[in-house]
């Protein structure tokens, strides 16, 4: 079998408080992190991936149906060290992090609870550390083909360029980040904010923020039902 990956021993923050509206009606009954993919709930797939890298300290921010999540882990807690944070009103990924102020002393992973990346987490950590980044976004390369001929025009409707079915490449935010603990000090929990707001704040302070690219194939997004089925298939192959 493969040798174990490098042991990073970094804390992991999981944002598990959302309503999961994209997965309605399942999420009327279960919180999104507990929706099963194969024989494990999505959140446990995520946690097991981190465990392989020696990351066993989990800080989980919960809100919607949080008692179900806590009850599940009461019965399934071997190998995990879990700290719970109750978000009493929705604060967004950024605002929710304010609950962790003063609780983390070293670089940490931050992840949404509906994505799984089958990439090398040690390489992400090395990129983050050697770049001295305050925040590293893990970005996936997405290619989109526009199914039309695209016309570019100048003044008076003059055609300046014509491209048949152009392909566009983007780096999209997967929802996994590496973050330095001092970033937490700058977050106020007064109002909801997304994590991009936090990143903008860091950039305005002159701190380094960067993107580590992974391939689209390594990114499993289970926030959508059809993706759930894909994810189940992919995970059962490995």
């Amino acid at each position: 079998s493969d040798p174990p990956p490098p042991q990073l021993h970094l804390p992991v923050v999981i944002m598990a408080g959302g309503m999961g509206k994209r997965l309605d009606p399942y999420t009327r009954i279960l919180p999104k992190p507990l929706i099963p993919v194969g024989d494990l709930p999505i959140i446990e797939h995520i946690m097991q991936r981190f465990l392989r890298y020696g990351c066993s300290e989990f800080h989980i921010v919960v809100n919607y149906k949080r008692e179900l999540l806590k009850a599940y882990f009461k019965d399934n807690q071997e190998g995990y060290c879990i700290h719970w944070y109750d978000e009493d009103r929705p604060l967004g990924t950024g605002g929710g992090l304010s609950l962790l102020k003063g609780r983390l002393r070293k670089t940490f992973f931050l992840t949404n609870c509906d994505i799984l990346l089958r990439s090398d987490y040690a390489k992400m950590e090395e990129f983050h550390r050697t770049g001295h980044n305050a925040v590293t976004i893990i970005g996936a390369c997405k290619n989109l083909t526009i199914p039309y001929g695209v016309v570019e025009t100048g003044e008076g409707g003059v055609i300046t360029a014509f491209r048949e079915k152009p392909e566009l490449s983007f780096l999209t935010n997967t929802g996994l980040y590496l973050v330095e603990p001092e970033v937490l000090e700058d977050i106020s929990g007064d109002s909801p904010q997304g994590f991009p707001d936090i990143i903008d704040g860091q950039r305005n302070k002159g701190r380094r923020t960067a993107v580590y690219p992974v391939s689209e194939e390594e990114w499993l997004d289970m926030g959508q039902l059809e993706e759930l089925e894909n994810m189940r298939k992919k995970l059962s192959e490995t």
Side-chain angles (χ1 to χ4, degrees):
S1 68
D2 297 338
Q7 301 297 285
L8 302 173
H9 300 295
L10 295 182
V12 179
V13 177
I14 304 178
M15 288 295 164
M19 298 274 293
K21 290 202 170 83
R22 292 191 298 167
L23 289 175
D24 189 84
Y26 293 97
T27 42
R28 293 186 198 190
I29 297 157
L30 283 175
K32 179 168 65 175
L34 282 188
I35 289 179
V37 178
D39 52 2
L40 283 180
I42 177 61
I43 192 169
E44 235 185 317
H45 283 291
I46 293 169
M47 292 164 83
Q48 298 224 332
R49 177 111 203 139
F50 280 111
L51 277 185
R52 288 173 53 188
Y53 290 86
C55 302
S56 58
E57 178 193 327
F58 295 95
H59 298 262
I60 306 180
V61 179
V62 288
N63 183 337
Y64 179 68
K65 294 191 182 286
R66 58 186 164 212
E67 297 315 319
L68 282 172
L69 260 166
K70 291 178 184 177
Y72 174 81
F73 279 104
K74 220 185 206 110
D75 297 332
N76 300 272
Q77 53 192 356
E78 70 280 0
Y80 309 124
C81 165
I82 300 178
H83 306 270
W84 298 100
Y85 300 82
D86 289 355
E87 184 190 58
D88 293 318
R89 56 197 176 89
L91 290 169
T93 303
L97 272 179
S98 64
L99 301 171
L100 283 100
K101 269 190 194 178
R103 299 295 297 271
L104 296 175
R105 298 267 174 268
K106 58 181 178 179
T107 306
F108 61 93
F109 281 99
L110 168 66
T111 181
N112 289 342
C113 70
D114 53 6
I115 60 122
L116 191 63
L117 287 180
R118 299 194 298 178
S119 311
D120 186 334
Y121 289 9
K123 288 195 175 129
M124 298 172 190
E125 187 273 339
E126 185 185 14
F127 171 88
H128 177 80
R129 182 170 31 87
T130 55
H132 303 291
N133 304 335
V135 179
T136 298
I137 299 175
I138 311 305
C141 310
K142 279 258 187 211
N143 297 309
L144 293 180
T145 303
I146 307 289
Y148 308 104
V150 174
V151 186
E152 293 174 15
T153 60
E155 215 164 308
V158 172
I159 294 174
T160 55
F162 190 92
R163 291 180 299 148
E164 189 56 49
K165 298 185 180 168
E167 190 170 270
L168 304 176
S169 296
F170 300 97
L171 262 177
T172 50
N173 181 359
T174 61
L176 176 64
Y177 312 88
L178 276 146
V179 187
E180 287 306 299
E182 58 267 21
V183 172
L184 294 172
E185 302 313 307
D186 299 331
I187 299 175
S188 89
D190 305 337
S191 57
Q193 50 182 330
F195 201 66
D197 303 330
I198 308 298
I199 292 171
D200 281 344
Q202 294 299 305
R203 286 175 54 217
N204 293 339
K205 281 196 146 185
R207 288 185 181 158
R208 217 178 116 95
T209 56
V211 179
Y212 178 87
V214 298
S215 89
E216 193 181 339
E217 284 69 53
E218 295 171 330
W219 177 20
L220 306 180
D221 168 12
M222 62 76 68
Q224 299 154 341
L225 283 177
E226 61 276 15
E227 283 289 338
L228 250 185
E229 187 52 28
N230 283 343
M231 194 166 176
R232 191 185 60 72
K233 286 198 186 103
K234 278 190 179 169
L235 287 170
S236 64
E237 289 158 12
T238 51

